[in-house]
Amino acid sequence: MVGPGLVLLATLCSILLGAFVWAVSEHFLTTDVPSTLRQPAKLRFLHCLFLSMVTLGNITEKLGICSMPRFIQFLQDTLRIKKDHRLVVTNLHFGTIPVRLFQPMAASPSPQRGFIFFHGGASVCGSLDVYHNLCSFLSLETDSVLLSVGYRKLPDHHDPVIFRNCLNASIHFLKALETYGVDPSRVVICGDSVGGGYGALISQVLVGRSDLPPIRAQVLIYPVLQVINLQLPSYQQNQNVPFLTQKLMLTCLFRYLIVDFSWRDAILSGAFIPPEVWKKYSKWLSRDNIPKRFQRPGCPPVFPAPFNEDAYLENQHFLDVEISPLLRDNETLARLPEAFLVSCENDILRDDTLLYKKRLEDQGVPVTWYHVEDGFHGALILFDKQPLSFPCSLKTMNAVTTYIRGIL
Ligand SMILES: *[C@@H]1O[C@H](CO)[C@@H](O)[C@H](O)[C@H]1NC(C)=O
Ligand SMILES: *[C@@H]1O[C@H](CO)[C@@H](O)[C@H](O)[C@H]1NC(C)=O
Ligand SMILES: *[C@@H]1O[C@H](CO)[C@@H](O)[C@H](O)[C@H]1NC(C)=O
């Protein structure tokens, strides 16, 4: 039966090729690669591969085979994880939440640092496996007992599942520090991208919990901190820069928050924000808080656009502090642990970090800011993927571990 097999193979190959050609044209028609990014050809190639994956996912979704997020998760799970004999790695469940514990073998007799890590991936990709090597590195380099949280995500789970899972897992860990040999005065919360946003949120929610040891520091790597002002300078300057383009960001955000795509323009332009709400929050969220050197010359859009009440009624959850932790009150912020904030120049989310930095500093929270001029969103996860890694990937990882070793 060579015939049908060959036909099937040929069909499959043409679909793969077609998706790649589509992705390449999509890339060259819509993507910007700023001159500060190093190794641009490699970045373009990786972005084309990534777009092919999303395109194939879109196709399997249209055909009713599986949704785009599940298709991407299926592909990412074929990545290999590196076993490191210097670590004991244990898969556990806290309640129903899958977590992975990394414990350095060469443990000092005294209790060790503790590290709670929330991975990124826009609630579509990322997993315990995808972040395995990164967590191994952090655990070894900072000599910490590291907890990586495998929170639930798309396509089956939506807001607020990530928040709840991250909070439950953190509380569970903080109550059991002794069991894991962790010094309760040396626990750090860390995350990248979506995980960085939840790192900020969980740090806020744990403020004042006298039944738990206080968090010593928060490390937020290109975090998502608000979904209200999507016209900040970085949102304009970097809207077409890989890997988190505006289009991808909105696709993931709208799915996770269950928002109809027809609200795209009302949300992008800020038309869903009631004038009195904007009056209250503009002192924290307006572009006036972004230092001049990050603003491009030219005429910024008028923000927010005229109020659209229907858009507000359906999407008011965007204004919740659990989705936009940048809106947290002064009093809570003032009690937060010190922060290490990483922003990338070529990242649509750069200004979330700049705004949070200002809010924390205004409340007297010590902030160490690490700005990566040649950085882009998603660079971190490539740190050990030679030859696909970028200079900024390892540089950022080393900055994080140096900071942690320096403070605790
Ligand atoms: C995949 O589909 C989404 C809509 O669900 C669309 O916004 C996106 O552009 C598509 N991506 C590609 C690479 O075709
Ligand atoms: C999280 O913890 C609360 C209370 O401790 C519990 O009621 C809830 O079921 C937990 N959720 C998950 C997903 O484990
Ligand atoms: C919060 O802190 C900022 C900066 O110190 C201050 O301008 C503002 O008035 C404070 N209070 C509120 C409710 O925003």
Side-chain angles (χ1 to χ4, degrees), residues 22 26 51 54-55 58 61 247 251 255 261:
W22 170 265
E26 165 106 354
L51 286 178
V54 178
T55 306
N58 279 354
E61 184 166 297
K247 205 167 170 184
T251 303
R255 285 188 180 210
F261 226 81

Side-chain angles (χ1 to χ4, degrees), residues 91-359:
N91 287 315
L92 299 167
H93 279 86
F94 284 175
T96 58
I97 305 159
V99 297
R100 190 168 291 173
L101 199 67
F102 298 78
Q103 292 171 288
M105 298 252 241
S108 41
S110 58
Q112 286 174 295
R113 298 185 180 99
F115 204 122
I116 302 178
F117 185 82
F118 307 130
H119 70 73
S123 71
V124 168
C125 38
S127 68
L128 291 176
D129 280 353
V130 171
Y131 276 75
H132 184 100
N133 298 352
L134 188 144
C135 288
S136 297
F137 180 91
L138 289 175
S139 166
L140 280 170
E141 294 293 314
T142 63
D143 198 20
S144 305
V145 174
L146 184 147
L147 178 83
S148 180
V149 181
Y151 56 77
R152 299 185 181 86
K153 51 186 181 293
L154 291 173
D156 296 329
H157 302 278
H158 300 89
D159 181 61
V161 76
I162 303 183
F163 169 52
R164 293 208 176 140
N165 284 184
C166 290
L167 182 62
N168 276 29
S170 304
I171 292 175
H172 199 291
F173 185 62
L174 290 170
K175 284 186 170 164
L177 293 180
E178 216 169 297
T179 323
Y180 303 119
V182 174
D183 177 349
S185 67
R186 296 202 294 167
V187 180
V188 176
I189 284 188
C190 172
D192 71 319
S193 190
V194 162
Y198 285 101
L201 179 60
I202 303 298
S203 303
Q204 295 175 353
V205 171
L206 293 178
V207 160
R209 284 280 303 244
S210 52
D211 57 327
L212 299 171
I215 301 299
R216 177 64 178 78
Q218 43 178 334
V219 175
L220 314 178
I221 303 165
Y222 40 68
V224 184
L225 294 167
Q226 58 95 31
V227 289
I228 298 171
N229 187 348
L230 305 182
Q231 296 296 336
L232 287 163
S234 67
Y235 283 77
Q236 297 180 290
Q237 175 188 324
N238 297 319
Q239 63 174 292
N240 296 316
V241 176
F243 285 83
L244 190 63
T245 56
Q246 183 194 70
K247 205 167 170 184
L248 180 68
M249 180 186 79
L250 293 180
T251 303
C252 300
L253 182 69
F254 283 18
R255 285 188 180 210
Y256 182 64
L257 296 181
I258 320 183
V259 170
D260 193 88
F261 226 81
S262 60
W263 293 120
R264 179 185 179 278
D265 293 342
I267 287 174
L268 271 181
S269 65
F272 76 106
I273 309 169
E276 65 278 10
V277 171
W278 180 246
K279 207 167 147 217
K280 182 164 165 216
Y281 291 140
S282 61
K283 62 178 182 293
W284 296 335
L285 295 184
S286 100
R287 66 161 54 224
D288 302 340
N289 291 316
I290 304 296
K292 284 285 168 289
R293 80 168 170 101
F294 292 104
Q295 308 224 18
R296 292 274 168 98
C299 193
V302 176
F303 188 88
F307 182 49
N308 171 341
E309 187 166 9
D310 289 339
Y312 166 68
L313 289 174
E314 267 195 45
N315 303 300
Q316 48 184 303
H317 55 312
F318 276 58
L319 303 166
D320 290 351
V321 68
E322 271 143 30
I323 294 179
S324 297
L326 246 164
L327 302 183
R328 186 68 65 177
D329 59 281
N330 280 355
E331 293 67 31
T332 307
L333 289 195
R335 299 171 67 192
L336 279 172
E338 69 174 273
F340 185 73
L341 305 180
V342 175
S343 55
C344 293
E345 178 56 26
N346 310 287
D347 178 4
I348 194 168
L349 301 180
R350 180 197 69 197
D351 293 350
D352 283 26
T353 298
L354 299 184
L355 291 179
Y356 204 47
K357 171 177 181 289
K358 177 168 187 335
R359 284 220 61 204

